[in-house]
Amino acid sequence: MPSTSPDVSDPAYVRARAMVTLFERLEHLCEGAIAIDRRGRVIYVNEKYLTSLGLKHTSEAMGRPIEEVIPNSLMRKVVETGEPILLDIMELGGEQLVVTRMPIEDEQRNVIGAIGFVLYDHLESLKPLLARVAQLESDLRLARRQLSNARAARFTFADFVGKTSGIAQAKELAGRAARQNVTVLLTGETGTGKEMLAQAIHNASSRADKPFVSVNVAAIPDTLIESEFFGTAPGAYTGADRKGREGKFRVADGGTLFLDEIGEMPLQLQAKLLRVLQEREIEPLGSDKISKVDVRVVAATNVDLRKRVSDGAFRPDLYYRLNVLSIDLPPLRDCLDDLPEISARLLEDISATGDYLSAKITPSALSALARYDWPGNVRELRNVLERALILSDSGRLTGNDFARILPVGTDARPAATMRTAGIVVPYAEAEAEFEKHTLEQALAASNGQISEAAKMLRISRATFYKKLAKFGLASGPASV
């Protein structure tokens, strides 16, 4: 007699057996199974599901609309759309069940029904997964708030690149600051990334989902600085808003207030700031009511505050209060080993902000950049890289690309040249020369635009004009 055993090499047979095996396995492993036809009528339910459904026999469910057996069931939706619902949490009889629902198709891929399986009848074993999902949802909500909130900090420690000792020490101290609630004082030349580090501290702290408010003290007129910080009561003075105004401390409540160029703060306001830091309370201008605030202050300066204290321009008690943890950010010329990594990160950021060619920086370009003294530090480096990228036809930056926009050689590094030659000049003279050189470089980097140059140096236009006059530097028509 001819053999009647199936041909196990026949793909159709193997596929059919796979479907049967899959169903049998799922039906055995799951906590319940139910199927409906394309009209939404129950055609199958296994005995394991009966207890959860409150039934005694499978016959009680046959032929009934699925919604009569499982209120608010989504099985009919699977039949109507033909789309599976692979993982869902369904409530039934006061219990939460983890379920999956899939359409049933005929040979022509027409949907003729749907089948659902209860994968778990309790959520205890899924707690790690659910906790991870909850964390991801929390992170997503935070990201959405930050994207919609103009006062959100966007930089993290990953953005503060560099491995040289100065940068590594600054990041290590900043990490310690993030874990505490102390006031932080960031020091360093203009353009070294003080606000970036302040944002990184904020984002690594427990205040990350609260506001990050940045204030350039030097940019606020003396007549308005008190109201800017502490707010005003309704009708506090002629022309004041009749509804009153919230100050920066109130806006930053619960979060971080970054005070840039703190050394420029007027003496009369320093006493009030000291009180806020000590008492954690503010009194709006024109009001006799005191309110509590919870704000972490991160201050920054590019001047020597100790010298300001000795000159009587800065209160010693405020200086000591701000200087709980001081972090010094090194200038770019002391971190030239990090130049490739810093340049690469800046080029990534630049490319993301415009329709630029894919940027690459060559060793000759890095060599040209390393010969420059960078008085404007990383901020100036970004400006130079962007200008070179705009002028480049290929996006591959070489030393020649920087030769036409960057003064290289001994003239670009007067301080270094004097050190090499063994020439010692008086401190005041060296400081003045450096300040003048910085102004000239800012003007060159901004194409003579005063507003842009002042912004690069983080000083007000008025201060910039005063310094131009001090050194006899003409602004010219292009800088107006």
Side-chain angles (χ1 to χ4, degrees):
M1 292 181 63
S3 174
T4 58
S5 36
D7 183 2
V8 295
S9 63
D10 181 4
Y13 172 76
V14 176
R15 185 165 55 249
R17 285 306 306 164
M19 295 301 100
V20 173
T21 302
L22 176 62
F23 176 78
E24 290 175 348
R25 290 286 184 181
L26 281 172
E27 201 267 350
H28 174 71
L29 294 172
C30 74
E31 304 297 332
I34 192 167
I36 62 173
D37 61 17
R38 59 184 163 194
R39 296 180 302 164
R41 307 275 177 173
V42 176
I43 58 172
Y44 168 80
V45 60
N46 68 353
E47 292 188 0
K48 291 183 0 181
Y49 208 1
L50 294 178
T51 302
S52 296
L53 297 175
L55 304 175
K56 293 183 179 179
H57 303 286
T58 57
S59 59
E60 297 178 49
M62 296 303 170
R64 294 171 59 187
I66 184 63
E67 292 81 8
E68 290 184 8
V69 180
I70 304 176
N72 303 315
S73 171
L74 297 179
M75 292 280 284
R76 192 183 297 273
K77 179 180 178 182
V78 173
V79 173
E80 292 172 351
T81 64
E83 296 294 330
I85 302 175
L86 295 179
L87 195 62
D88 193 19
I89 297 177
M90 181 181 74
E91 291 195 10
L92 182 65
E95 292 184 303
Q96 289 186 316
L97 310 177
V98 180
V99 300
T100 185
R101 309 177 185 94
M102 293 175 287
I104 302 173
E105 300 175 342
D106 62 15
E107 291 81 358
Q108 286 73 43
R109 305 300 298 272
N110 298 313
V111 177
I112 59 175
I115 188 167
F117 297 96
V118 179
L119 302 179
Y120 297 95
D121 57 0
H122 56 84
L123 301 184
E124 190 69 26
S125 58
L126 291 181
K127 276 189 175 181
L129 175 62
L130 295 176
R132 178 59 178 158
V133 171
Q135 181 62 48
L136 290 173
E137 289 178 343
S138 175
D139 292 345
L140 178 61
R141 287 193 297 270
L142 174 58
R144 284 174 174 169
R145 280 198 301 270
Q146 290 179 339
L147 288 173
S148 62
N149 184 2
R151 300 192 183 281
R154 63 189 183 92
F155 293 112
T156 66
F157 286 126
D159 296 301
F160 198 75
V161 298
K163 298 177 181 177
T164 51
S165 60
I167 291 181
Q169 183 178 13
K171 289 174 72 171
E172 196 274 333
L173 289 174
R176 290 176 180 267
R179 297 190 292 270
Q180 306 298 326
N181 200 34
V182 297
T183 303
V184 181
L185 179 63
L186 304 178
T187 62
E189 296 177 8
T190 181
T192 49
K194 294 187 286 293
E195 182 165 359
M196 176 185 286
L197 196 60
Q199 291 190 20
I201 292 171
H202 173 83
N203 277 332
S205 74
S206 59
R207 299 174 180 265
D209 60 341
K210 301 298 182 182
F212 177 90
V213 179
S214 177
V215 182
N216 188 324
V217 176
I220 305 174
D222 291 355
T223 54
L224 297 178
I225 195 166
E226 186 173 352
S227 62
E228 281 289 323
F229 275 95
F230 306 117
T232 57
Y237 53 85
T238 302
D241 194 326
R242 278 181 283 181
K243 295 181 180 179
R245 180 182 179 185
E246 288 189 332
K248 301 300 185 185
F249 272 95
R250 177 55 62 195
V251 174
D253 194 20
T256 301
L257 181 63
F258 176 62
L259 302 180
D260 198 9
E261 296 198 56
I262 189 70
E264 304 299 323
M265 178 173 282
L267 275 170
Q268 67 271 18
L269 189 65
Q270 292 177 24
K272 287 200 169 187
L273 176 60
L274 179 63
R275 177 177 176 82
V276 175
L277 295 177
Q278 291 176 336
E279 307 298 334
R280 301 291 174 181
E281 58 187 27
I282 60 171
E283 183 178 349
L285 189 66
S287 172
D288 56 359
K289 294 182 179 179
I290 294 176
S291 59
K292 290 286 186 179
V293 289
D294 175 24
V295 175
R296 185 232 276 271
V297 170
V298 178
T301 182
N302 56 13
V303 300
D304 187 346
L305 282 187
R306 287 173 295 186
K307 186 175 185 301
R308 290 283 176 118
V309 170
S310 63
D311 292 342
F314 204 84
R315 293 178 62 105
D317 47 3
L318 177 58
Y319 170 70
Y320 298 130
R321 188 73 189 185
L322 291 172
N323 197 30
V324 176
L325 179 61
S326 179
I327 303 175
D328 186 54
L329 279 68
L332 182 57
R333 60 184 172 276
D334 291 346
C335 306
L336 294 181
D337 287 345
D338 290 323
L339 196 58
E341 186 179 2
I342 295 173
S343 298
R345 176 58 64 87
L346 290 175
L347 285 173
E348 286 179 13
D349 294 342
I350 294 168
S351 299
T353 61
D355 187 18
Y356 294 105
L357 297 167
S358 179
K360 293 183 180 179
I361 189 161
T362 64
S364 67
L366 290 171
S367 177
L369 295 176
R371 292 197 299 271
Y372 184 51
D373 209 43
W374 299 109
N377 293 293
V378 178
R379 185 180 297 113
E380 185 182 4
L381 174 61
R382 190 188 195 282
N383 183 286
V384 167
L385 289 171
E386 184 165 17
R387 193 184 314 171
L389 199 56
I390 292 171
L391 298 175
S392 173
D393 294 325
S394 65
R396 183 176 180 272
L397 302 180
T398 68
N400 291 332
D401 290 301
F402 296 103
R404 51 187 172 179
I405 62 175
L406 188 67
V408 295
T410 56
D411 290 340
R413 306 188 68 171
T417 302
M418 288 188 291
R419 287 194 297 269
T420 303
I423 301 172
V424 178
V425 298
Y427 180 86
E429 184 179 334
E431 185 181 46
E433 179 60 29
F434 176 79
E435 187 175 10
K436 178 182 178 182
H437 183 65
T438 300
L439 294 172
E440 291 172 336
Q441 292 303 316
L443 284 172
S446 64
N447 292 321
Q449 298 294 325
I450 290 293
S451 296
E452 182 64 25
K455 188 183 297 184
M456 289 172 60
L457 298 182
R458 305 299 293 272
I459 61 177
S460 66
R461 281 169 52 102
T463 301
F464 196 96
Y465 276 115
K466 289 178 183 178
K467 291 182 180 296
L468 288 180
K470 173 183 174 182
F471 295 105
L473 298 174
S475 58
S479 61
V480 179

